[in-house]
Amino acid sequence: TLLNVVVDHKLKIEGFGACEGTLACSTCHVILDESNYNKLGIVSDEEMDLLDLAFGLTETSRLGCQIC
Ligand code: FES
């Protein structure tokens, strides 16, 4: 996942991935361009529930721990 990339490369993004991908936060919220967004699979109900809590939600928002 994108979260794994951040962790594996020791990228320092303040607060990113606080729940370590267990779908209990929304700190891994990312906004994609439409082209990349459309390449991803559908958003699960669980991901959508958390996205609703994300700051600055857009039509192309996803959770970084749910996308590969
Ligand atoms: Fe918490 Fe993605 S890391 S929902």
Side-chain angles (χ1 to χ4, degrees):
T1 66
L2 182 58
L3 175 60
N4 296 127
V5 172
V6 170
V7 171
D8 291 350
H9 290 84
K10 298 179 175 38
L11 303 177
K12 296 189 188 293
I13 304 174
E14 185 71 27
F16 191 87
C19 77
E20 301 177 350
T22 60
L23 280 174
C25 69
S26 58
T27 60
C28 61
H29 173 215
V30 294
I31 299 172
L32 305 166
D33 64 33
E34 194 170 329
S35 172
N36 285 315
Y37 181 86
N38 290 334
K39 292 176 185 170
L40 300 174
I42 61 170
V43 182
S44 70
D45 290 342
E46 294 84 4
E47 182 180 357
M48 187 58 73
D49 287 346
L50 275 177
L51 278 170
D52 285 341
L53 305 174
F55 177 77
L57 182 67
T58 74
E59 294 286 320
T60 59
S61 288
R62 291 295 305 260
L63 294 180
C65 68
Q66 301 301 303
I67 57 175
C68 298

